[in-house]
Amino acid sequence: MKIDILHSGSDGNACRVYTENTSILLDCGVSQSRLFSKGTFPVDAIFVTHEHGDHLGGVGTVLKSITAKVYLEEASFSNKRNSINLDGCDLNFIAPGDRIDMGDFRVEAHETNHDSNGGVFFIVENKMTKLRYGHLTDTGIFTESMTKVLQTCDALLLEANHDVKTLMTHPKYNDWIRERIRGVYGHLSNEQTMEFIRDYLDLDKLQWIVLGHLSQKTNTPEMVLEAKHEIIPEFVKVYIAPVEAELSE
Ligand SMILES: [Zn+2]
Ligand SMILES: [Zn+2]
């Protein structure tokens, strides 16, 4: 089971999870040329976390050249149906708590806490090996139910959106935007995510953690690693998106 986090951030998200039999995308907020910039690949289904353009915005154009099922919440679709052309697509509505069988995988949708109509994150389980990959971005907090689900995973992508000090002093942001990003329906900061990893996750069980959805204005890979060294210095299997990784038995 391979996980190729191709793009991660507010300029577009796309993560491919695949085996030799099955290939799915988690989010498609990039153009066709960006999606296939390393080469084309098959896509059996696209699972969309929420309505924001950096996650949903590329689905319509990518589906002009490939045929894939699309799974998303009805609220995400109805809110964007005029701006995103999904006519003729094999659309399937999902809700938090759903489990979808897709080839070698079972994909679970769980609720996030974000300023969107609806909003889910996905766990992809390999039905043969039972290994579980969790993929969570675009949430303001880790709720108790999210924590329980994330604790069952063998590898994770977690959001590390911003450095709080940089966000609070960035000249391009006003107080309203700062509070929106920091709020319970916003995005996770470097510190929030590292403290969650330290306090709630079993670092012996986890094969690796990728940190993603870094803000281009208020975060850098160096800031993420600095927070990591400070808060979870002993855990070394941490990478920053984009990255390709494997989940092995
Ligand atoms: Zn986003
Ligand atoms: Zn969002």
Side-chain angles (χ1 to χ4, degrees):
M1 179 178 186
K2 288 187 175 159
I3 293 103
D4 195 356
I5 300 155
L6 296 153
H7 302 281
S8 185
S10 51
D11 65 335
N13 295 272
C15 170
R16 182 187 178 210
V17 185
Y18 63 105
T19 61
E20 53 186 32
N21 306 310
T22 308
S23 172
I24 63 171
L25 275 183
L26 306 181
D27 284 329
C28 185
V30 295
S31 65
Q32 190 191 329
S33 57
R34 281 186 73 204
L35 180 65
F36 296 128
S37 57
K38 291 197 296 184
T40 56
F41 51 79
V43 182
D44 299 309
I46 304 172
F47 291 82
V48 180
T49 56
H50 65 293
E51 62 178 338
H52 289 159
D54 55 324
H55 300 261
L56 172 63
V59 175
T61 48
V62 165
L63 285 179
K64 283 185 185 151
S65 62
I66 61 164
T67 307
K69 292 180 167 205
V70 178
Y71 291 86
L72 79 177
E73 286 179 286
E74 192 165 7
S76 313
F77 171 68
S78 42
N79 218 30
K80 288 284 144 59
R81 66 186 311 161
N82 294 327
S83 55
I84 294 201
N85 186 0
L86 297 179
D87 292 347
C89 296
D90 185 351
L91 274 185
N92 301 269
F93 293 136
I94 55 170
D98 281 358
R99 289 182 158 76
I100 300 112
D101 265 329
M102 177 56 55
D104 284 350
F105 301 134
R106 183 164 296 125
V107 182
E108 301 171 8
H110 298 278
E111 198 166 20
T112 56
N113 223 65
H114 193 46
D115 60 351
S116 52
N117 279 297
V120 291
F121 69 100
F122 294 113
I123 308 290
V124 184
E125 179 176 308
N126 183 319
K127 288 195 282 192
M128 257 81 76
T129 63
K130 303 290 176 202
L131 289 167
R132 287 162 67 80
Y133 167 64
H135 183 101
L136 170 68
T137 66
D138 296 68
T139 186
I141 49 170
F142 292 98
T143 64
E144 218 179 300
S145 60
M146 289 160 69
T147 302
K148 274 189 193 148
V149 172
L150 294 169
Q151 285 171 334
T152 67
C153 292
D154 301 283
L156 290 168
L157 173 121
L158 295 176
E159 169 170 55
N161 179 258
H162 54 275
D163 171 72
V164 174
K165 257 188 235 151
T166 309
L167 174 68
M168 295 314 280
T169 53
H170 196 286
K172 286 245 164 87
Y173 290 136
N174 61 37
D175 286 346
W176 184 85
I177 298 177
R178 289 189 183 117
E179 289 315 312
R180 196 228 125 208
I181 294 171
R182 284 180 52 174
V184 294
Y185 295 105
H187 292 274
L188 295 166
S189 71
N190 296 342
E191 295 80 357
Q192 256 176 305
T193 297
M194 300 309 163
E195 285 170 6
F196 173 79
I197 294 170
R198 181 193 63 197
D199 297 340
Y200 292 99
L201 298 182
D202 179 354
L203 297 180
D204 293 328
K205 175 184 164 76
L206 281 162
Q207 293 194 15
W208 43 260
I209 298 174
V210 173
L211 298 160
H213 212 293
L214 276 63
S215 163
Q216 286 170 330
K217 291 196 187 87
T218 60
N219 210 357
T220 62
E222 291 73 28
M223 288 175 181
V224 175
L225 291 176
E226 200 180 307
K228 181 240 166 272
H229 292 316
E230 223 163 87
I231 299 169
I232 44 166
E234 72 283 3
F235 189 63
V236 293
K237 295 169 285 179
V238 170
Y239 311 103
I240 293 177
V243 68
E244 182 161 16
E246 188 160 357
L247 196 43
S248 48
E249 285 181 86

